[in-house]
Amino acid sequence: MEMTDDMNSRSDIKMDMLNGPLLMKILKFAFPIIMGSVMQQLFSAVDIAVVGMTGDSLGQAAIGANTTIIALFVNFFVGLSVGINVVIGNYIGSDHKERISETVHTAIMFSLISGIGILIVVELIARPILLLMSTPSDVLDMAIRYLRIYAFAMPFILVYNFGTAVLRTVGDSKRPLYALLAAGAINVVLDFLLTLGLNMGVTGVAIATSFSNVISFALVIMFLIKETGHIKLYPRKLTINGACLWRVLKVGFPAGLQAVVFSIANLSIQRTINSYGATAIAGNAIALIFEILAFYVVTGFDQAAVTFTSQNYGAGNLLRCKRVLVITLLAAVAATNIVNISFILGRHFFVRIFTSDPEVMSVVFLRFKWVLSLQFLICSYEICGSVLRGFGKSMIPAVITIFGTCVLRVVWVNTICLDYRDIIYCFVVYPISWVVTGSAVVIALAVSWRTVKINKGITKKPL
């Protein structure tokens, strides 16, 4: 049954997720997130490209050496921010708006403190962690310099991501995109000015990237301060409420942990692929570009699933939660297939943008066949997992994904790939792990749904 609450009591909500048709609202919510992720990836590529224009291949390697390290920190806190979507969404749905403000201020303060903490830690461990990653000696000093400069942006990056999560709880996914586009444009301009104009090399790129993150941070904070509803930010009220923080972390920590373990598992596969030589490394890296772009399509609907579900679960409308699941799942599968099939059909054109080496291209096409063409399978555990998180059950999809995807892949590359020395076995583990994980998460969702139905009275209470 559709909710018929007085809309005047929801005047501060930019998108009413509790009433009316869902498809167009979900598309309107997801599209800016997809575009923002794609643009962020393209802006990152510009950093490497600009350094490449100077002929500094060691500088490019220095930036590349830090990619995984930075991703581990950032992805963990992006996972944590999912807790904000769920908790505030539940408060909106259950009409406990008085609790939203303290959650917003707790989340922003926590992200600021965490960012400062990461800044200090990275400054202290920059050299040891890069040595642990076997960074070549001729790249090490530049890589350390880049990482230490980049670390100054961490407080701004974390606040931006948590602030963005707050805005999305009321359906506002457009303004975070605008902030990202503005910051990205400034990053590109500064890349050319500092790196090419002032010949600052990697240092120039690091400064440009850090400053652009300050811009996106400032814009999101400005958006929150200028709000008139319950998510309005009052700087003087920034504090940490223990109970609020616990509710956010209870949902967000498993998602953050999953992101970290996922990255570690992929490192294990990458290490195996590296053993096949430079051609395999290059081909795999090029194929990953297309997979990442397609994955961003899934993340947009992923965010929609968790946000729409959390609000409707808080309102006790399980029928609408089911509709959210069906629409986001079908839309994610359809959109992912459209993107990936386009890449596959135009593979010769797209891949030639990056290489003309026939051996490298053969590796790319092989990965296209076994991974890209089947990437729609990830929608099963990503979307269903987001619905579970919307119910406040974040640990279930995290544990299943860690074992079904991450642990399975690590075991596979250390057993099957050792016995069968063909790179194809590094690729087939992806669809196998997707089927295993997807099946388990779907079953977990079905079981959890029955529990929610039996105890549906709890959906009227905030998390």
Side-chain angles (χ1 to χ4, degrees), residues 283-284 286-291 340-351 354 361-375 427:
N284 187 70
I286 292 170
L288 276 173
I289 293 172
F290 297 97
E291 289 172 32
N340 287 349
I341 290 172
S342 299
F343 286 149
I344 292 170
L345 293 178
R347 59 190 179 278
H348 292 284
F349 168 77
F350 288 116
V351 175
F354 299 94
M361 291 177 71
S362 68
V363 175
V364 178
F365 296 156
L366 187 64
R367 181 156 180 140
F368 273 19
K369 176 181 179 181
W370 288 102
V371 184
L372 192 69
S373 65
L374 298 170
Q375 196 176 15
F427 297 156

Side-chain angles (χ1 to χ4, degrees), residues 258-279:
Q258 175 185 319
V260 171
V261 175
F262 196 84
S263 297
I264 293 173
N266 285 337
L267 280 176
S268 181
I269 296 177
Q270 183 63 53
R271 190 162 50 244
T272 303
I273 290 173
N274 290 349
S275 68
Y276 288 92
T279 298

Side-chain angles (χ1 to χ4, degrees), residues 27-264:
L27 293 176
K28 184 179 178 181
F29 181 90
F31 185 72
I33 298 175
I34 295 169
M35 289 304 299
S37 299
V38 170
M39 294 306 297
Q40 199 165 31
Q41 179 71 14
L42 295 178
F43 288 140
S44 298
V46 170
D47 291 347
I48 297 177
V50 170
V51 173
M53 291 178 186
T54 66
D56 185 7
S57 58
L58 293 180
Q60 289 180 308
I63 297 173
N66 284 294
T67 302
T68 304
I69 298 170
I70 293 170
L72 283 173
F73 286 112
V74 175
N75 289 344
F76 175 70
F77 283 92
V78 169
L80 282 184
S81 70
V82 171
I84 300 170
N85 292 72
V86 174
V87 173
I88 295 181
N90 186 258
Y91 287 154
I92 292 172
S94 58
D95 215 17
H96 285 77
K97 294 182 182 178
E98 70 281 356
R99 303 185 183 182
I100 294 176
S101 182
E102 60 184 4
T103 303
V104 169
H105 290 86
T106 293
I108 298 299
M109 190 63 178
F110 174 73
S111 64
L112 179 60
I113 294 173
S114 299
I116 294 171
I118 292 177
L119 163 60
I120 295 171
V121 169
V122 171
E123 293 297 330
L124 294 174
I125 69 169
R127 178 176 289 273
I129 197 169
L130 283 165
L131 287 172
L132 185 64
M133 293 289 291
S134 301
T135 306
S137 58
D138 53 352
V139 174
L140 182 61
D141 288 340
M142 276 191 292
I144 292 172
R145 185 165 66 251
Y146 179 87
L147 182 57
R148 284 178 169 163
I149 295 172
Y150 192 100
F152 281 96
M154 281 297 180
F156 305 106
I157 293 172
L158 265 59
V159 173
Y160 166 80
N161 280 295
F162 275 60
T164 293
V166 170
L167 289 170
R168 287 174 181 165
T169 61
V170 294
D172 185 359
S173 57
K174 288 184 179 180
R175 286 190 293 175
L177 172 61
Y178 300 153
L180 190 61
L181 291 175
I186 291 172
N187 183 32
V188 171
V189 172
L190 289 178
D191 274 347
F192 281 96
L193 177 63
L194 299 178
T195 304
L196 297 180
L198 299 180
N199 197 31
M200 294 179 67
V202 170
T203 300
V205 169
I207 293 173
T209 302
S210 296
F211 185 76
S212 68
N213 282 302
V214 175
I215 299 300
S216 60
F217 151 85
L219 288 172
V220 166
I221 291 298
M222 181 185 71
F223 296 152
L224 290 171
I225 290 175
K226 289 189 173 183
E227 280 290 325
T228 57
H230 290 80
I231 65 167
K232 180 178 177 61
L233 181 68
Y234 299 91
R236 68 181 182 277
K237 290 186 178 180
L238 286 174
T239 186
I240 291 184
N241 179 296
C244 285
L245 181 60
W246 167 247
R247 283 191 288 269
V248 170
L249 293 181
K250 185 171 68 172
V251 177
F253 182 79
L257 180 63
Q258 175 185 319
V260 171
V261 175
F262 196 84
S263 297
I264 293 173

Side-chain angles (χ1 to χ4, degrees), residues 1-5 10 18-20 93 312 315-317 320 460:
M1 184 175 73
E2 298 291 347
M3 301 301 295
T4 57
D5 293 342
R10 301 182 184 279
L18 303 174
N19 302 279
N312 286 282
N317 194 337
R320 194 167 172 87
K460 295 291 185 181

Side-chain angles (χ1 to χ4, degrees), residues 401-436:
T401 304
I402 287 172
F403 281 94
T405 299
C406 307
V407 174
L408 188 152
R409 291 178 186 178
V410 172
V411 171
W412 181 279
V413 298
N414 286 288
T415 54
I416 303 297
C417 289
L418 292 180
D419 293 334
Y420 301 93
R421 292 296 297 169
D422 188 326
I423 196 170
I424 192 174
Y425 291 101
C426 293
F427 297 156
V428 296
V429 68
Y430 286 96
I432 290 173
S433 64
W434 294 337
V435 170
V436 171

